[in-house]
Amino acid sequence: MSLSITGATEGQLQIHLFTKQKQYAVPDVPYSIRANVGNKELNVLLNTLLNDAGYKSTEKVEFDFLLNGEFVKIPLGQHLKEREISFEDTVDLEYVERYPAPEPQDCLLHDDWVSAVQAKDDWILTGSYDNTLNLWNTKGKHTLTIPGHVAPVKGVAWISLDNQTGVFASASHDQNVMLWEWNVVANSVECVHVCKGHERGVGCVAVNPSKTQMATGSMDTMLKIWSTDVQGDKIEPSASKKAKLEQENVRTPISTLAGHREFVSGVQWMDNSTIVTSSWDHTLKIWDLSLGGIKTEFTGNKSFFDLSYSPLNGMIVTASPDKNLRLYDPRSKYATFVKNTYLGHTQWVQTCRWSTTNEYLFVSGAYDNHVKLWDYRSPKAPIYELIGHEDKVLACDWSNPKYILSGGSDNAVRVFKSKISGSASNII
């Protein structure tokens, strides 16, 4: 079949169209098209083929196209030229149904900058520069303000949650990490432990897959591991003296891991005995807790402000002040290996998070006030921009697949409803 485009000047290409989404399969034959066609014309061709093949739908289906695992965002001939791919050979073009755009849902207003946010089920936990934590439901209703820290809250992490009780952690520039127990029914919160040991502000906290331990990174350059158990040495109300209560309330770290030379800006668990950290010292480090030391190190030429690890694809995405995001594969034999660099932000990139259900997608937030949604197969452009913040974006989260969250120095959390489901197949 031939698709002719008015004004075409670059001649013909032979393409072979294929997809892993079997409901959209078309005849497995080569098609002749003009070399300067883009996404729009390819969609016309594909929808025509689907109609001819008997596919019935009330609406036209929109597709994106991949060549050698990378989205085609420019005219196909130009894409081939830039990658020095021959026009003579048949081009294998994969197509996938286009992701639906996230829809803006709520704006959760705080009294100061929002520097931490994480969702779990129907609840959203936020940390702010006014030293408080706040609880909201996913319908946008504010449930609780939680004082306790005496400096900005820079990290929050859910540990457990059911209909009766929620347990979560908060990390602050006051050098402390607090473990909280929330009585969901009574809507009351108690600080059950203050985790002391860091000598400077704590910037990040993450909980392991089994929810038994948490890791924190600090301006003191240290990585510390703590128990998340809220029962073990929990304070008994019968204890007589306030000083004794305070002493029993303090928890010390299980272990301290030294190796970074500057602020540990991000921390994620890869499994129950492996942690990856990012730092202003231009390195990513993978730690083996069973050995108590560094397993692998990646060195960049800029500071790392944040990182996110995906158990779905085994890769790490990082945020840096040079406006770029980078994709690392820790299974690579080369510690400096960067699989992709993502260009699109115009200021420091402060935060990034993978989808928990789709191995291709992640979000990022930057000082340019923008949140961007990326497919890692599209390094030159995000697939969507999530507009709404009026100042720097400081934190983002996609823990609940239904909601993309971002917090910023406009004192707001923006909530976007995501209709994106998991991908059709795992790449591992």
Side-chain angles (χ1 to χ4, degrees):
M1 176 175 178
S2 176
L3 175 69
S4 64
I5 307 297
T6 303
T9 60
E10 291 190 346
Q12 299 276 325
L13 284 173
Q14 292 287 320
I15 63 169
H16 168 236
L17 293 166
F18 71 98
T19 185
K20 296 171 185 170
Q21 297 171 301
K22 299 304 181 186
Q23 71 271 31
Y24 298 129
V26 297
D28 187 13
V29 296
Y31 300 96
S32 179
I33 65 170
R34 294 287 185 179
N36 69 341
V37 303
N39 202 292
K40 182 178 178 181
E41 294 85 5
L42 288 168
N43 264 287
V44 171
L45 169 61
L46 191 52
N47 273 275
T48 300
L49 294 172
L50 285 170
N51 287 336
D52 292 346
Y55 177 79
K56 303 297 182 185
S57 175
T58 56
E59 294 182 3
K60 178 183 173 184
V61 184
E62 293 289 330
F63 294 95
D64 281 311
F65 298 85
L66 297 109
L67 180 60
N68 297 333
E70 181 183 347
F71 276 110
V72 177
K73 294 291 189 180
I74 55 179
L76 185 54
Q78 184 182 341
H79 186 98
L80 294 175
K81 280 183 178 179
E82 289 184 3
R83 286 150 188 83
E84 298 181 346
I85 298 172
S86 172
F87 281 55
E88 302 301 320
D89 300 327
T90 299
V91 176
D92 290 322
L93 210 55
E94 181 182 359
Y95 57 96
V96 294
E97 185 177 4
R98 184 170 297 166
Y99 299 118
E103 298 176 355
Q105 177 170 301
D106 284 305
C107 178
L108 313 180
L109 288 175
H110 294 63
D111 292 332
D112 209 334
W113 293 9
V114 183
S115 42
V117 58
Q118 192 179 80
K120 187 170 178 62
D121 300 335
D122 295 328
W123 299 98
I124 298 170
L125 177 64
T126 62
S128 173
Y129 264 66
D130 67 3
N131 310 344
T132 68
L133 302 169
N134 285 271
L135 275 167
W136 313 72
N137 66 23
T138 51
K139 300 186 187 305
K141 181 182 178 182
H142 184 257
T143 303
L144 202 58
T145 298
I146 306 166
H149 286 290
V150 294
V153 178
K154 298 290 288 182
V156 295
W158 286 98
I159 297 167
S160 62
L161 178 64
D162 56 34
N163 292 332
Q164 302 292 320
T165 306
V167 179
F168 48 84
S170 58
S172 168
H173 274 176
D174 63 12
Q175 304 182 16
N176 294 330
V177 181
M178 291 185 168
L179 273 174
W180 306 86
E181 194 166 38
W182 174 36
N183 184 319
V184 178
V185 178
N187 194 30
S188 61
V189 166
E190 176 188 6
C191 175
V192 289
H193 295 295
V194 179
C195 301
K196 291 183 174 288
H198 282 297
E199 296 178 1
R200 293 184 67 189
V202 188
C204 51
V205 57
V207 179
N208 70 352
S210 65
K211 311 300 182 186
T212 56
Q213 294 181 342
M214 60 182 177
T216 56
S218 167
M219 290 181 177
D220 66 9
T221 75
M222 299 299 170
L223 170 66
K224 291 183 184 286
I225 314 300
W226 317 77
S227 169
T228 58
D229 179 26
V230 294
Q231 300 301 325
D233 51 345
K234 187 176 175 181
I235 303 168
E236 294 296 330
S238 59
S240 56
K241 295 181 180 179
K242 183 179 180 182
K244 186 178 179 183
L245 281 172
E246 290 177 349
Q247 185 178 2
E248 290 179 354
N249 194 27
V250 172
R251 174 166 286 174
T252 54
I254 296 170
S255 62
T256 297
L257 299 167
H260 282 297
R261 299 183 306 279
E262 292 188 45
F263 176 40
V264 181
S265 55
V267 60
Q268 294 262 287
W269 294 78
M270 299 175 73
D271 56 44
N272 281 320
S273 63
T274 312
I275 294 173
V276 58
T277 54
S278 63
S279 172
W280 287 6
D281 66 11
H282 300 191
T283 68
L284 303 176
K285 297 185 192 296
I286 298 177
W287 308 78
D288 186 332
L289 297 189
S290 60
L291 300 176
I294 299 167
K295 180 180 176 182
T296 311
E297 182 175 302
F298 294 76
T299 302
N301 58 5
K302 296 289 181 183
S303 296
F304 292 107
F305 283 171
D306 196 14
L307 86 162
S308 183
Y309 168 76
S310 172
L312 299 178
N313 60 36
M315 292 189 286
I316 300 161
V317 65
T318 64
S320 289
D322 65 355
K323 310 173 190 176
N324 296 331
L325 295 122
R326 290 178 177 82
L327 184 69
Y328 290 85
D329 187 344
R331 297 157 299 190
S332 166
K333 296 177 182 178
Y334 305 100
T336 56
F337 182 66
V338 179
K339 284 185 71 73
N340 264 330
T341 300
Y342 299 85
L343 316 169
H345 284 293
T346 58
Q347 298 289 334
W348 288 4
V349 187
Q350 182 65 34
T351 178
C352 55
R353 287 293 179 269
W354 283 103
S355 163
T356 55
T357 56
N358 187 306
E359 68 261 33
Y360 298 118
L361 302 182
F362 63 91
V363 292
S364 63
Y367 276 29
D368 59 12
N369 308 355
H370 288 165
V371 175
K372 296 180 188 289
L373 172 58
W374 304 83
D375 186 303
Y376 81 66
R377 299 167 293 183
S378 178
K380 293 193 174 182
I383 57 173
Y384 290 112
E385 293 198 7
L386 282 53
I387 306 299
H389 281 289
E390 297 174 358
D391 209 335
K392 298 183 292 291
V393 180
L394 304 176
C396 66
D397 179 67
W398 204 352
S399 300
N400 182 332
K402 296 179 182 177
Y403 302 99
I404 297 173
L405 310 173
S406 56
S409 53
D410 57 359
N411 302 0
V413 167
R414 293 279 171 175
V415 181
F416 280 78
K417 187 74 180 289
S418 172
K419 297 181 179 180
I420 297 170
S421 61
S423 47
S425 62
N426 199 297
I427 64 168
I428 301 300

Short mmCIF file of all heavy atoms in Angstrom, two decimals, residues 370-402:
data_model
loop_
_atom_site.label_atom_id
_atom_site.label_comp_id
_atom_site.label_asym_id
_atom_site.label_seq_id
_atom_site.Cartn_x
_atom_site.Cartn_y
_atom_site.Cartn_z
N HIS A 370 7.72 23.38 36.09
CA HIS A 370 7.04 22.36 35.29
C HIS A 370 7.23 20.95 35.85
O HIS A 370 8.31 20.62 36.37
CB HIS A 370 7.56 22.38 33.84
CG HIS A 370 7.09 23.58 33.08
ND1 HIS A 370 7.65 23.96 31.89
CD2 HIS A 370 6.12 24.48 33.34
CE1 HIS A 370 7.05 25.04 31.44
NE2 HIS A 370 6.11 25.39 32.30
N VAL A 371 6.18 20.16 35.71
CA VAL A 371 6.24 18.72 35.93
C VAL A 371 6.09 18.08 34.55
O VAL A 371 5.21 18.46 33.76
CB VAL A 371 5.11 18.24 36.86
CG1 VAL A 371 5.11 16.72 36.98
CG2 VAL A 371 5.25 18.90 38.23
N LYS A 372 6.97 17.14 34.24
CA LYS A 372 6.93 16.49 32.93
C LYS A 372 6.80 14.98 33.09
O LYS A 372 7.38 14.40 34.01
CB LYS A 372 8.20 16.83 32.12
CG LYS A 372 8.31 18.32 31.78
CD LYS A 372 9.56 18.63 30.99
CE LYS A 372 9.77 20.13 30.82
NZ LYS A 372 8.81 20.74 29.89
N LEU A 373 6.02 14.40 32.20
CA LEU A 373 5.81 12.95 32.16
C LEU A 373 6.59 12.40 30.97
O LEU A 373 6.40 12.85 29.83
CB LEU A 373 4.32 12.64 32.03
CG LEU A 373 3.92 11.18 31.77
CD1 LEU A 373 4.44 10.25 32.86
CD2 LEU A 373 2.40 11.06 31.66
N TRP A 374 7.48 11.44 31.25
CA TRP A 374 8.39 10.91 30.24
C TRP A 374 8.14 9.43 29.99
O TRP A 374 7.79 8.68 30.91
CB TRP A 374 9.85 11.04 30.70
CG TRP A 374 10.29 12.42 31.05
CD1 TRP A 374 10.12 13.07 32.25
CD2 TRP A 374 11.01 13.33 30.21
NE1 TRP A 374 10.67 14.32 32.20
CE2 TRP A 374 11.23 14.51 30.96
CE3 TRP A 374 11.49 13.26 28.90
CZ2 TRP A 374 11.92 15.61 30.44
CZ3 TRP A 374 12.17 14.35 28.38
CH2 TRP A 374 12.37 15.51 29.14
N ASP A 375 8.34 9.01 28.76
CA ASP A 375 8.54 7.61 28.42
C ASP A 375 10.04 7.46 28.17
O ASP A 375 10.61 8.23 27.38
CB ASP A 375 7.74 7.24 27.18
CG ASP A 375 7.78 5.76 26.86
OD1 ASP A 375 8.90 5.23 26.69
OD2 ASP A 375 6.71 5.13 26.74
N TYR A 376 10.71 6.52 28.81
CA TYR A 376 12.17 6.50 28.70
C TYR A 376 12.64 6.19 27.28
O TYR A 376 13.82 6.35 26.95
CB TYR A 376 12.80 5.57 29.74
CG TYR A 376 12.82 4.08 29.46
CD1 TYR A 376 13.57 3.54 28.42
CD2 TYR A 376 12.14 3.21 30.29
CE1 TYR A 376 13.61 2.18 28.19
CE2 TYR A 376 12.18 1.84 30.08
CZ TYR A 376 12.90 1.33 29.02
OH TYR A 376 12.95 -0.02 28.79
N ARG A 377 11.71 5.80 26.40
CA ARG A 377 12.06 5.58 25.00
C ARG A 377 11.98 6.87 24.18
O ARG A 377 12.20 6.85 22.97
CB ARG A 377 11.12 4.53 24.40
CG ARG A 377 11.20 3.17 25.10
CD ARG A 377 10.05 2.26 24.72
NE ARG A 377 8.78 2.76 25.21
CZ ARG A 377 7.61 2.11 25.05
NH1 ARG A 377 7.59 0.95 24.42
NH2 ARG A 377 6.50 2.63 25.53
N SER A 378 11.68 7.99 24.84
CA SER A 378 11.57 9.29 24.16
C SER A 378 12.47 10.31 24.84
O SER A 378 12.00 11.18 25.58
CB SER A 378 10.12 9.77 24.18
OG SER A 378 9.99 11.03 23.57
N PRO A 379 13.79 10.24 24.62
CA PRO A 379 14.72 11.10 25.36
C PRO A 379 14.69 12.57 24.96
O PRO A 379 15.11 13.43 25.75
CB PRO A 379 16.10 10.49 25.04
CG PRO A 379 15.92 9.77 23.75
CD PRO A 379 14.49 9.27 23.76
N LYS A 380 14.20 12.89 23.77
CA LYS A 380 14.29 14.28 23.31
C LYS A 380 13.07 15.13 23.64
O LYS A 380 13.10 16.34 23.45
CB LYS A 380 14.54 14.30 21.80
CG LYS A 380 15.91 13.76 21.42
CD LYS A 380 16.28 14.06 20.00
CE LYS A 380 17.72 13.62 19.73
NZ LYS A 380 18.12 13.94 18.34
N ALA A 381 12.02 14.50 24.14
CA ALA A 381 10.82 15.27 24.48
C ALA A 381 9.94 14.47 25.43
O ALA A 381 9.78 13.26 25.26
CB ALA A 381 10.03 15.60 23.22
N PRO A 382 9.37 15.14 26.45
CA PRO A 382 8.41 14.45 27.32
C PRO A 382 7.14 14.14 26.54
O PRO A 382 6.86 14.77 25.50
CB PRO A 382 8.15 15.49 28.43
CG PRO A 382 8.41 16.81 27.78
CD PRO A 382 9.51 16.57 26.79
N ILE A 383 6.36 13.19 27.03
CA ILE A 383 5.12 12.89 26.33
C ILE A 383 3.98 13.81 26.77
O ILE A 383 3.06 14.06 26.01
CB ILE A 383 4.73 11.40 26.45
CG1 ILE A 383 4.60 10.96 27.91
CG2 ILE A 383 5.74 10.53 25.74
CD1 ILE A 383 4.06 9.55 28.05
N TYR A 384 4.09 14.34 28.01
CA TYR A 384 3.11 15.34 28.47
C TYR A 384 3.79 16.31 29.43
O TYR A 384 4.72 15.94 30.15
CB TYR A 384 1.92 14.68 29.18
CG TYR A 384 1.01 13.90 28.27
CD1 TYR A 384 0.94 12.52 28.35
CD2 TYR A 384 0.24 14.56 27.32
CE1 TYR A 384 0.11 11.79 27.50
CE2 TYR A 384 -0.60 13.85 26.47
CZ TYR A 384 -0.66 12.47 26.56
OH TYR A 384 -1.48 11.77 25.72
N GLU A 385 3.28 17.54 29.46
CA GLU A 385 3.66 18.51 30.47
C GLU A 385 2.46 18.75 31.37
O GLU A 385 1.35 18.96 30.89
CB GLU A 385 4.12 19.82 29.82
CG GLU A 385 5.41 19.67 29.04
CD GLU A 385 6.09 21.02 28.78
OE1 GLU A 385 5.61 22.03 29.32
OE2 GLU A 385 7.09 21.03 28.06
N LEU A 386 2.70 18.70 32.68
CA LEU A 386 1.63 18.86 33.66
C LEU A 386 1.73 20.27 34.22
O LEU A 386 2.61 20.58 35.04
CB LEU A 386 1.75 17.81 34.77
CG LEU A 386 1.28 16.39 34.46
CD1 LEU A 386 1.89 15.82 33.21
CD2 LEU A 386 1.52 15.47 35.64
N ILE A 387 0.85 21.14 33.75
CA ILE A 387 0.93 22.57 34.03
C ILE A 387 0.14 22.91 35.28
O ILE A 387 -0.91 22.32 35.56
CB ILE A 387 0.40 23.39 32.84
CG1 ILE A 387 1.11 22.97 31.54
CG2 ILE A 387 0.54 24.87 33.08
CD1 ILE A 387 2.60 23.22 31.56
N GLY A 388 0.60 23.90 36.03
CA GLY A 388 -0.19 24.36 37.18
C GLY A 388 0.63 25.07 38.24
O GLY A 388 0.18 26.03 38.84
N HIS A 389 1.86 24.59 38.47
CA HIS A 389 2.67 25.24 39.49
C HIS A 389 3.08 26.65 39.06
O HIS A 389 3.37 26.89 37.88
CB HIS A 389 3.92 24.41 39.81
CG HIS A 389 3.65 23.25 40.71
ND1 HIS A 389 3.34 23.40 42.04
CD2 HIS A 389 3.61 21.91 40.47
CE1 HIS A 389 3.14 22.21 42.58
NE2 HIS A 389 3.29 21.29 41.65
N GLU A 390 3.13 27.56 40.02
CA GLU A 390 3.51 28.95 39.75
C GLU A 390 4.89 29.27 40.28
O GLU A 390 5.32 30.43 40.24
CB GLU A 390 2.46 29.88 40.37
CG GLU A 390 1.08 29.69 39.75
CD GLU A 390 0.00 30.50 40.45
OE1 GLU A 390 0.33 31.19 41.45
OE2 GLU A 390 -1.15 30.47 39.99
N ASP A 391 5.58 28.26 40.80
CA ASP A 391 6.95 28.45 41.29
C ASP A 391 7.65 27.10 41.23
O ASP A 391 7.11 26.13 40.70
CB ASP A 391 6.93 29.01 42.72
CG ASP A 391 8.15 29.87 43.04
OD1 ASP A 391 9.21 29.66 42.39
OD2 ASP A 391 8.07 30.73 43.93
N LYS A 392 8.84 27.03 41.79
CA LYS A 392 9.70 25.84 41.69
C LYS A 392 8.98 24.57 42.17
O LYS A 392 8.28 24.60 43.17
CB LYS A 392 10.97 26.06 42.52
CG LYS A 392 11.82 27.22 42.06
CD LYS A 392 13.09 27.34 42.88
CE LYS A 392 12.86 27.76 44.31
NZ LYS A 392 12.40 29.17 44.40
N VAL A 393 9.21 23.48 41.45
CA VAL A 393 8.70 22.17 41.87
C VAL A 393 9.79 21.48 42.68
O VAL A 393 10.93 21.33 42.23
CB VAL A 393 8.31 21.31 40.65
CG1 VAL A 393 7.78 19.95 41.11
CG2 VAL A 393 7.28 22.03 39.80
N LEU A 394 9.46 21.08 43.91
CA LEU A 394 10.44 20.55 44.85
C LEU A 394 10.31 19.04 45.09
O LEU A 394 11.26 18.40 45.53
CB LEU A 394 10.32 21.28 46.20
CG LEU A 394 10.44 22.80 46.17
CD1 LEU A 394 10.20 23.38 47.56
CD2 LEU A 394 11.79 23.23 45.63
N ALA A 395 9.13 18.49 44.82
CA ALA A 395 8.91 17.07 45.11
C ALA A 395 7.83 16.53 44.18
O ALA A 395 6.93 17.26 43.76
CB ALA A 395 8.46 16.89 46.57
N CYS A 396 7.93 15.23 43.85
CA CYS A 396 6.88 14.59 43.07
C CYS A 396 6.71 13.15 43.54
O CYS A 396 7.58 12.60 44.22
CB CYS A 396 7.15 14.66 41.58
SG CYS A 396 8.60 13.72 41.00
N ASP A 397 5.58 12.56 43.16
CA ASP A 397 5.28 11.20 43.61
C ASP A 397 4.30 10.54 42.66
O ASP A 397 3.40 11.20 42.12
CB ASP A 397 4.66 11.23 45.02
CG ASP A 397 4.30 9.85 45.53
OD1 ASP A 397 5.23 9.04 45.75
OD2 ASP A 397 3.10 9.55 45.67
N TRP A 398 4.49 9.22 42.45
CA TRP A 398 3.56 8.43 41.64
C TRP A 398 3.37 7.08 42.31
O TRP A 398 3.24 6.05 41.65
CB TRP A 398 4.10 8.27 40.22
CG TRP A 398 3.05 8.01 39.18
CD1 TRP A 398 1.72 7.75 39.37
CD2 TRP A 398 3.25 7.96 37.75
NE1 TRP A 398 1.10 7.56 38.17
CE2 TRP A 398 2.00 7.68 37.16
CE3 TRP A 398 4.37 8.12 36.94
CZ2 TRP A 398 1.85 7.57 35.79
CZ3 TRP A 398 4.21 8.00 35.57
CH2 TRP A 398 2.97 7.73 35.00
N SER A 399 3.35 7.06 43.64
CA SER A 399 3.21 5.81 44.39
C SER A 399 1.86 5.15 44.15
O SER A 399 1.76 3.92 44.08
CB SER A 399 3.40 6.06 45.90
OG SER A 399 4.67 6.60 46.16
N ASN A 400 0.81 5.95 44.11
CA ASN A 400 -0.51 5.46 43.74
C ASN A 400 -0.64 5.64 42.23
O ASN A 400 -0.57 6.75 41.73
CB ASN A 400 -1.60 6.24 44.47
CG ASN A 400 -3.00 5.73 44.17
OD1 ASN A 400 -3.26 5.17 43.10
ND2 ASN A 400 -3.91 5.93 45.10
N PRO A 401 -0.81 4.53 41.47
CA PRO A 401 -0.84 4.64 40.00
C PRO A 401 -1.90 5.60 39.48
O PRO A 401 -1.78 6.10 38.36
CB PRO A 401 -1.13 3.21 39.56
CG PRO A 401 -0.74 2.34 40.70
CD PRO A 401 -0.96 3.13 41.94
N LYS A 402 -2.94 5.87 40.29
CA LYS A 402 -4.05 6.72 39.83
C LYS A 402 -3.73 8.22 39.92
O LYS A 402 -4.45 9.03 39.33
CB LYS A 402 -5.30 6.44 40.68
CG LYS A 402 -5.85 5.04 40.53
CD LYS A 402 -7.06 4.87 41.43
CE LYS A 402 -7.61 3.44 41.36
NZ LYS A 402 -8.76 3.28 42.30
#
